[in-house]
Amino acid sequence: MHRHGAHLLDATSARFALWAPDARSVSVELEQQPAIALLPDEDGWYTGVAPCQAGDRYHYRIDGELRVADPASRYQPEGVQGPSQVVDVAGYAWQHPWQGRPWHEAVIQELHVGLLEGYTGVARQLPRLAELGISAIELMPLGQFPGERNWGYDGVLPFAPQNTYGTPEQLCALVDQAHGLGLMVLVDVVYNHFGPDGNYLHQYASPFFREDRQTPWGAAIDFRRPQVREYFIQNALMWLCDYRFDGLRLDAVHAIDQPDFLVELAQRVRAAVGPGRHVWLVLENEHNQAFLLEQGFDAQWNDDGHNALHVLLTGETEGYYADYQQRPIDQLARCLAEGFVFQGQANRHGTPRGEPSGHLAPSAFVLFLQNHDQVGNRALGERLTRLCPPPALRAATGLLLLAPMIPLLFMGDDDGSCRPFLFFTDFHDQLADAVREGRRGEFAHFNAFADPEQRARIPDPNAEQTFEASRPQNKEVIAGWHGLYQQLLDLRHRHVIPHLPGSRSLGTEVHGEKALTARWRLGDGNTLRIDLNLGDTPQSIELPAASTRLFDSSDTRHPDSQLAAYSCVVSLLPPDLERP
């Protein structure tokens, strides 16, 4: 199987390969050189060698007419419609030998590179994050998208790191600097669709898609075809091997209707990185397919846990939160004990969702209070700091950072940011109008936006001020929040992380409408116990002795027979003190 794209053979030449099964002819046009015809090969490939060097720019010409960027371009210095550039990442001089860190040590912060002013801006944040106790950053998608502002999920050239964020060499430097600080770096990859602007595969490689299967983004990608599988597997290997990322978070794999492709991808990744190196593969998967977490994937984002917590904290039950409006405390208890809430039960649409997950380790689940989706997909992008009482959020943060699941933070969480994170794009003309009106139409069935005048308040995704309003700033924060995160992460690193391997749930108990007790046997035999109350009234619970407590979020003194309102008490119990 050919390698997609342009690859240097030596300092003066490169091999070009394009899968174009609908094309009659393909040539490569290097700047200031005559066009060079690529030769047809089997199964729709066109390949050839051309004189060039790193930094040279080129296009493909299809059938003598259509001029396109390389769909496997490694860099687009002028954006999606401009020429592709030959890149030599292999020539980067790495400074820090690095084999990664074990998955159970992960404390992840998700961030958007553009809002932090590119790769160099992110690099300036790294020492602060490492000092806080973050052990990994996760970058929202980097694949080239149209314009200058986008979440990254509308990318059209997934091999090309976004040009407005910096150069490929600057991306290498960011990863290298993170490794020097002991930080792992993950990247979010989108293998379920291409964005609407700048992708021309339909015109010369229509078998890339299958019209008989539709997704929210159009025709499904056809993962039955080996050339298509290879395209995305090679993309995964590029991030992990060429750029030395420590892991991938695969976006919305429920839109990939060939789960065997995911198993193959995991197998190829594990074979390529070799023994001794820690590489993480994480899923976003609405189908809760637990079997994938035994087939080479380390963990899944646990939307169930987030959604139950969100309903408990805010009382919101519209949209997908409707699945969690009946006894959300029971659903949170199940999440803490067994991983997924939905393990085959019917959702609000009457459709069975999920697979049994109670046999999996707690570290197979990534827990979060916020991420780009649940904040940015709100009409006004409000964070929890605007939606629930600070003591309740403080208690939930104690659960997030001291429970055995892998914690994920969203940028700004650790400072208690009150700034919104909005949905933003940089489309123009009719597409911009369609995106703006489509965005406002999404919220027509929400009570707060039922009236057209109310929907008009929803920020225009294409307006630059929508992007600027989403930048986290130190001015709009909750006082003392950074210190809370520092305290909790110090406790996690000292008392929880070293004993996570081999940990298992000992079950949960629910107390009333908004309180529970959860217990886990850690790998060293001790019991981690978390008593959580997200309600505004105390609960009668016999708490462990004060001498065993790691953390108590409440500001007031209370008897050991009572769990204060809006509080989280975390205790570490030796075997002889396991029960109160």
Side-chain angles (χ1 to χ4, degrees):
M1 184 69 69
H2 294 288
R3 292 180 70 191
H4 289 266
H7 299 276
L8 287 167
L9 299 175
D10 51 40
T12 61
S13 65
R15 174 173 291 279
F16 294 82
L18 178 70
W19 188 57
D22 297 332
R24 299 184 304 275
S25 67
V26 175
S27 59
V28 60
E29 298 180 347
L30 287 140
E31 291 185 341
Q32 300 174 344
Q33 289 190 38
I36 298 173
L38 300 183
L39 299 178
D41 204 339
E42 60 182 359
D43 299 326
W45 285 95
Y46 288 82
T47 65
V49 175
C52 65
Q53 57 189 357
D56 285 356
R57 300 181 182 187
Y58 67 98
H59 281 98
Y60 289 127
R61 181 78 68 174
I62 311 295
D63 297 339
E65 297 178 357
L66 179 64
R67 193 167 182 246
V68 297
D70 187 342
S73 166
R74 265 42 177 194
Y75 190 50
Q76 293 291 120
E78 299 174 29
V80 293
Q81 303 293 352
S84 303
Q85 181 170 304
V86 179
V87 169
D88 180 22
V89 173
Y92 180 81
W94 295 90
Q95 302 298 308
H96 300 287
W98 180 254
Q99 290 288 86
R101 294 175 63 170
W103 173 241
H104 72 273
E105 295 182 2
V107 176
I108 309 168
Q109 181 168 100
E110 184 189 25
L111 53 85
H112 185 278
V113 175
L115 289 173
L116 296 178
E117 300 182 337
Y119 304 129
T120 56
V122 174
R124 289 193 293 269
Q125 300 287 328
L126 297 181
R128 181 185 68 84
L129 295 176
E131 183 181 3
L132 176 65
I134 301 297
S135 60
I137 58 171
E138 179 176 321
L139 310 182
M140 289 173 65
L142 302 180
Q144 184 74 45
F145 53 75
E148 298 185 358
R149 306 177 300 276
N150 197 292
W151 276 15
Y153 300 93
D154 289 323
V156 291
L157 298 171
F159 286 81
Q162 174 66 17
N163 68 313
T164 56
Y165 293 169
T167 65
E169 292 75 19
Q170 287 172 323
L171 177 56
C172 289
L174 168 61
V175 175
D176 202 14
Q177 180 177 337
H179 290 167
L181 292 166
L183 289 165
M184 292 144 293
V185 189
L186 292 82
V187 64
D188 202 342
V189 292
V190 183
Y191 294 161
N192 51 63
H193 76 288
F194 293 91
D197 180 11
N199 184 274
Y200 297 95
L201 285 170
H202 286 279
Q203 299 185 47
Y204 61 85
S206 60
F208 215 100
F209 306 92
R210 50 184 306 182
E211 297 295 336
D212 62 325
R213 295 285 182 89
Q214 294 294 311
T215 75
W217 309 285
I221 293 172
D222 193 351
F223 285 96
R224 299 171 300 178
R225 297 186 180 275
Q227 300 91 341
V228 174
R229 287 178 176 241
E230 196 66 21
Y231 179 85
F232 291 106
I233 289 172
Q234 288 178 16
N235 181 265
L237 295 177
M238 179 197 74
W239 296 119
L240 297 172
C241 298
D242 297 352
Y243 286 98
R244 303 193 183 183
F245 277 87
D246 298 278
L248 307 174
R249 181 264 193 185
L250 280 71
D251 177 68
V253 300
H254 47 267
I256 296 173
D257 62 2
Q258 298 289 130
D260 63 305
F261 158 71
L262 298 170
V263 175
E264 180 185 355
L265 182 147
Q267 291 171 342
R268 290 278 299 278
V269 164
R270 301 302 178 193
V273 300
R277 184 179 170 200
H278 297 284
V279 165
W280 307 340
L281 296 176
V282 182
L283 298 171
E284 180 195 26
N285 187 357
E286 192 174 297
H287 292 333
N288 284 2
Q289 292 167 303
F291 83 93
L292 289 171
L293 302 177
E294 301 173 286
Q295 296 284 331
F297 289 91
D298 294 286
Q300 177 177 318
W301 276 25
N302 196 345
D303 287 334
D304 283 349
H306 165 274
N307 294 349
L309 278 163
H310 188 91
V311 173
L312 286 164
L313 288 167
T314 68
E316 296 179 348
T317 58
E318 292 187 285
Y320 49 73
Y321 294 128
D323 276 338
Y324 304 84
Q325 62 183 327
Q326 300 295 329
R327 296 287 302 172
I329 192 65
D330 291 339
Q331 293 173 307
L332 177 60
R334 189 175 202 202
C335 161
L336 297 177
E338 302 178 27
F340 297 137
V341 171
F342 284 87
Q343 301 181 31
Q345 295 85 355
N347 62 15
R348 65 193 183 282
H349 303 300
T351 305
R353 173 179 169 234
E355 299 172 357
S357 58
H359 61 291
L360 297 170
S363 59
F365 305 94
V366 177
L367 188 62
F368 44 89
L369 295 175
Q370 304 188 113
N371 64 37
H372 73 273
D373 267 333
Q374 276 86 7
V375 180
N377 282 333
R378 300 178 63 83
L380 302 180
E382 309 101 320
R383 295 173 181 261
L384 285 172
T385 48
R386 299 285 193 191
L387 299 174
C388 71
L393 184 54
R394 181 182 176 92
T397 301
L399 171 72
L400 171 70
L401 298 184
L402 293 179
M405 285 70 74
I406 301 300
L408 174 85
L409 290 58
F410 187 56
M411 54 188 269
D413 283 0
D414 51 303
D415 287 323
S417 176
C418 298
R419 297 272 289 184
F421 177 74
L422 297 160
F423 178 69
F424 50 80
T425 54
D426 189 17
F427 296 129
H428 301 279
D429 303 322
Q430 290 182 332
L431 182 55
D433 294 338
V435 169
R436 180 178 58 254
E437 295 311 312
R439 172 74 173 166
R440 291 173 176 170
E442 288 177 21
F443 296 97
H445 64 285
F446 285 76
N447 291 332
F449 300 99
D451 186 272
E453 290 186 8
Q454 295 167 326
R455 292 199 294 278
R457 296 190 299 115
I458 298 174
D460 178 359
N462 297 291
E464 187 171 357
Q465 61 261 36
T466 302
F467 173 79
E468 291 296 334
S470 301
R471 292 188 192 272
Q473 293 184 351
N474 293 334
K475 296 178 182 177
E476 297 179 47
V477 298
I478 298 178
W481 217 249
H482 187 80
L484 170 67
Y485 271 76
Q486 203 158 30
Q487 174 195 3
L488 289 168
L489 288 177
D490 177 63
L491 291 171
R492 182 177 186 86
H493 284 287
R494 287 194 290 124
H495 298 288
V496 179
I497 285 176
H499 310 299
L500 281 181
S503 62
R504 60 182 178 86
S505 171
L506 295 174
T508 53
E509 301 168 49
V510 170
H511 315 288
E513 297 290 325
K514 289 196 172 186
L516 58 73
T517 298
R519 293 164 31 251
W520 297 267
R521 174 69 45 79
L522 298 179
D524 64 351
N526 289 333
T527 294
L528 178 68
R529 171 171 164 161
I530 298 182
D531 294 281
L532 178 73
N533 183 9
L534 296 180
D536 59 4
T537 58
Q539 284 290 321
S540 295
I541 299 174
E542 194 64 35
L543 295 170
S547 60
T548 66
R549 291 179 199 168
L550 293 180
F551 174 73
D552 186 341
S553 72
S554 64
D555 296 325
T556 58
R557 291 185 175 274
H558 52 88
D560 287 347
S561 60
Q562 194 176 79
L563 183 62
Y566 299 139
S567 68
C568 176
V569 176
V570 182
S571 307
L572 195 59
L573 309 171
D576 58 336
L577 291 177
E578 183 175 314
R579 303 294 293 182

